[in-house]
């Protein structure tokens, strides 16, 4: 009887060990740590890129409003955009609110994702969360106004993508609040991350564009603004981050080491591409903030 129990226990132990070790000898625990470190790598990259984006928004747009010099927004005219319209008080106000709101989201949103901030400073987490929610809702509605009412040009594919993005912001805002009210912390965390991603879709859009241009130029692929990538990325700028987050959550719960490692590699590659975009976008923004002609 004792021998039977010992044999059974030994078999169960072997099966359990096999379940936590891949065919290549990589344990689930090691794969899980790799996934966590990759997520930290992504987070730090986003933080650095977004905080510089915040600096750009405050310096270029914020101070132009304070100094009543909003005409400077039309430095973007060389890129086909004229954000400032003479005599359009409501439109200019909506654009200013939209851009400065994006800066607030870029600066404050990352704090909501740091577990230690949530645990050690719950009051700050709650207040910052309220500010964040109100700001992203403002972004959604001001975005609707700028696309569907202010812009007199025909609706384009990018406008549809922006509108879908705005709708996702409102949906995820509701789900984030609802899960918090229900004290469903696990769901609240996921919806908050989804909200963070769609709220920063326009930042991902710009970083993705520069990543495509820099990478394509480096590989001698001659990227151009007429490429199919651009209309597709109008939707990809929020769909790809959402799908990546979904994959990350799945890998977190999965006990298969190979799934965790594959997700880590995917996230690492996407983060590297994002960093390429950040490095390409940063000097461009510096040229926008300077008094020199914008070069691209």
């Amino acid at each position: 009887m004792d021998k039977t129990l010992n044999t059974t226990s030994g078999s169960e132990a072997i099966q359990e060990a096999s379940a936590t070790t891949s065919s290549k000898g990589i344990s689930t625990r090691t794969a899980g740590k790799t996934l966590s470190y990759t997520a930290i790598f992504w987070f730090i990259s986003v933080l650095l890129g977004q905080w510089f984006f915040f600096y750009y928004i405050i310096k270029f747009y914020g101070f132009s409003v304070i100094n009543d010099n909003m005409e400077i927004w039309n430095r973007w005219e060389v890129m086909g955009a004229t954000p400032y319209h003479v005599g359009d008080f409501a439109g200019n106000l909506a654009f200013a609110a939209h851009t400065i709101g994006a800066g607030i989201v870029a600066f404050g949103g990352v704090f909501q994702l740091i577990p230690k901030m949530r645990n050690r400073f719950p009051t700050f987490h709650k207040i910052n969360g309220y500010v964040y929610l109100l700001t992203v809702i403002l972004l959604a509605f001001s975005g609707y106004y700028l696309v569907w009412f202010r812009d007199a040009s025909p609706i384009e594919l990018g406008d549809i993508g922006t509108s879908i993005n705005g709708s996702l912001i409102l949906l995820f805002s509701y789900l984030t609040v609802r899960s918090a009210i229900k004290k469903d912390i696990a769901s609240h965390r996921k919806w908050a991350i989804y909200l963070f991603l769609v709220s920063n879709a326009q930042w991902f859009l710009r970083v993705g564009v520069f990543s495509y241009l820099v990478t394509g130029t480096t590989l001698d692929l001659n990227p151009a603004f007429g490429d199919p990538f651009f209309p597709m990325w109008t939707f990809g700028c929020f769909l790809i981050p959402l799908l990546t987050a979904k994959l990350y959550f799945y890998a977190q719960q999965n006990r298969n080491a190979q799934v965790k490692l594959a997700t880590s590699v995917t996230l690492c590659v996407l983060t590297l591409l994002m960093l390429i975009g950040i490095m390409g976008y940063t000097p461009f923004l510096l040229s926008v903030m300077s008094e020199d002609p914008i070069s691209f």
Side-chain angles (χ1 to χ4, degrees), residues 42-291:
W42 174 87
F43 175 79
I44 293 174
S45 302
V46 169
L47 184 147
L48 294 175
Q50 292 231 302
W51 279 6
F52 179 79
F53 188 56
F54 167 75
Y55 167 73
Y56 153 73
I57 288 175
I58 297 303
K59 188 175 189 303
F60 185 70
Y61 291 105
F63 281 100
S64 68
V65 173
I66 294 173
N67 297 325
D68 194 20
N69 184 31
M70 292 178 286
E71 295 88 349
I72 198 174
W73 298 350
N74 288 346
R75 279 174 57 76
W76 284 99
E77 190 171 3
V78 296
M79 302 295 294
T82 53
Y84 178 76
H85 296 179
V86 178
D88 183 13
F89 176 79
N92 293 330
L93 179 63
F95 185 82
H98 190 78
T99 53
I100 294 173
I104 294 173
V105 168
F107 180 77
V110 291
F111 290 117
Q112 297 301 101
L113 305 184
I114 303 175
K116 288 187 178 180
M117 291 290 293
R118 295 196 302 265
N119 297 331
R120 294 186 180 182
F121 308 101
T123 302
F124 171 80
H125 177 74
K126 183 178 292 186
I127 294 174
N128 190 53
Y130 286 139
V131 173
Y132 186 83
L133 278 169
L134 291 174
T135 305
V136 297
I137 291 172
L138 170 66
L139 283 179
F141 283 111
S142 60
Y144 288 144
Y145 173 78
L146 293 172
V147 168
W148 294 98
F149 297 98
R150 191 194 195 203
D151 193 351
S153 60
I155 297 299
E156 299 178 351
L157 192 61
D159 299 326
I160 297 174
T162 300
S163 300
I164 294 174
N165 181 212
S167 300
L168 289 175
I169 288 175
L170 297 177
L171 174 62
F172 293 156
S173 295
Y174 166 73
L175 293 172
T176 299
V177 172
R178 189 182 70 168
S179 58
I181 293 174
K182 290 184 175 182
K183 306 296 183 182
D184 186 353
I185 303 303
S187 295
H188 175 70
R189 171 176 168 267
K190 290 183 179 180
W191 290 123
I193 290 176
Y194 291 148
L195 176 60
F196 174 83
L197 295 174
V198 296
S199 299
N200 288 287
Q202 294 306 305
W203 180 77
F204 286 117
L205 174 72
R206 289 156 174 77
V207 169
V209 165
F210 275 84
S211 180
Y212 175 79
L213 294 173
V214 172
T215 304
T217 302
T218 303
L219 298 175
D220 292 326
L221 298 177
N222 300 318
F225 281 104
D227 294 347
F229 166 81
F230 291 94
M232 290 191 298
W233 187 239
T234 300
F235 299 90
C237 66
F238 56 86
L239 291 178
I240 296 299
L242 286 176
L243 290 173
T244 304
K246 190 72 175 176
L247 176 63
Y248 173 76
F249 291 139
Y250 171 75
Q252 267 193 323
Q253 300 299 320
N254 197 294
R255 293 177 59 84
N256 190 312
Q258 297 302 319
V259 171
K260 293 180 182 293
L261 289 175
T263 302
S264 298
V265 171
T266 301
L267 184 57
C268 187
V269 170
L270 291 174
T271 303
L272 290 173
L273 289 172
M274 182 176 67
L275 281 173
I276 292 173
I278 291 172
M279 289 187 289
Y281 191 38
T282 298
F284 176 75
L285 291 183
L286 289 172
S287 70
V288 173
M289 289 185 285
S290 70
E291 296 182 358

